[in-house]
Amino acid sequence: MGEQLSVVSLFSGAGGLDLAVERADAEPLASGDFGNGLLRVSVATDYNEPALQTLKANFHDASTLAGDIRAVPTEDILTKAGLRSTEPVLVIGGPPCTPFSKSGFWLEQKRESRDPNASLLDEYVRVVREAQPEAFILENVQGLTYKTHKAQFERLLRGLGELGYNPQWKVLLAADYGVPQLRRRVFVVGRRDGEKFEFPEPTHSGWSEHTRTVDASKTPHVTAGQAFEGLPLMTQASDDEIVDGTYGELAAEIPPGQNYLWHTERYGGRNHFEWRSRYWTFLLRLDPNRPSTTLQAQPGPWVGPFHWENVRTGSGQERARRLRVNEMIRLMSFPDDFKIGGSRANVQRQLGNAVPPELGKAVVRALMTQLGYLNPVSPSHVVAFG
């Protein structure tokens, strides 16, 4: 292994993009291939203590820096990494996506794009300007590209463009890159030399929310059923996994792949709800033959996806169940041995906010190839779980 190239990670969270960086030249994570260690995260930053604990547990060689990025000088970040300006090969990170997520649109300030956290995009530009990396990768929710946030998104692109990085952006579907999840994220990538970055071509194909067109020349999407293969069987569900209460009985009657619409006059369940009166994820059950829908960071008590199989309560009643930690890890394409602690809800919050590593790897690998650090011959992208 030659000299490792240093990476500065901002808004690191659970470290999905960090993991993608450190294993950019590796086979899929489940294979146990760690790659040649071309890239190393020198410093990872976040303000969330559980996220920092996750980073420390999984990235032993990376320094961590806690604090609000708005109060942390770029010089402090570089010093913590043992770097000077122009030395990082990459700056990576996903500013907190809450201001741009559809899940926050019931708040007027979010609908009108007045969330103060949106300024974190400007902090990302500030660090790129002062650290002068060879390239950068910024990731966020698809909602950042919506008309509602046009001013913030254009300011981000303009700020990065004025630095000479020629930023390119694209919304990518995680399932198209071997992740068993229909999760859309926007990536913004730029190079210090101003050369245009070309996004990687999809390696997988299948049905999504918007198309039934399938490219037979590509590997089929990885399904939730395939993702869960080999996981230990657990017949007894913990209390926090059981979907009970007001809609517990209704949820248990919904077939795999269906949601609350099953209980409307147009489907085979009870005529309990009005047609299209709820969000799509309300009482949603996974379909084992398709990728999962987006794993949300902070779902309400009736928001899926829930597992397609029911469990029994202590009194013998059938109920749907929430996903277990090892299942969420699989749906996010993290390795099985990834360490993430805390309550089930805290684990889901970290994973739901993370970049699926296999999706991140596709972008990182493409960038490092175009920069000349990797050979253009890429490894197999077929993800095997277990």
Side-chain angles (χ1 to χ4, degrees), residues 142-198:
Q142 182 181 7
L144 176 58
T145 67
Y146 293 169
K147 183 178 180 180
T148 309
H149 306 299
K150 182 179 179 181
Q152 282 84 351
F153 192 44
E154 289 185 345
R155 186 173 73 246
L156 169 70
L157 297 176
R158 184 168 58 251
L160 294 167
E162 289 172 350
L163 301 177
Y165 280 85
N166 189 16
Q168 305 296 311
W169 68 274
K170 191 173 185 178
V171 174
L172 303 180
L173 177 63
D176 287 347
Y177 297 88
V179 179
Q181 189 177 165
L182 297 171
R183 184 185 189 92
R184 296 181 186 274
R185 308 291 282 197
V186 62
F187 285 81
V188 184
V189 184
R191 297 171 48 162
R192 189 173 61 201
D193 60 12
E195 291 292 320
K196 181 181 179 181
F197 171 70
E198 300 289 342

Side-chain angles (χ1 to χ4, degrees), residues 180 222-231 288 326-327 330-331 336 385-386:
V222 181
T223 68
Q226 289 173 313
F228 292 170
E229 286 178 2
L231 289 178
N326 58 1
E327 293 166 342
R330 287 282 184 92
L331 292 181
D336 285 349
F385 289 87

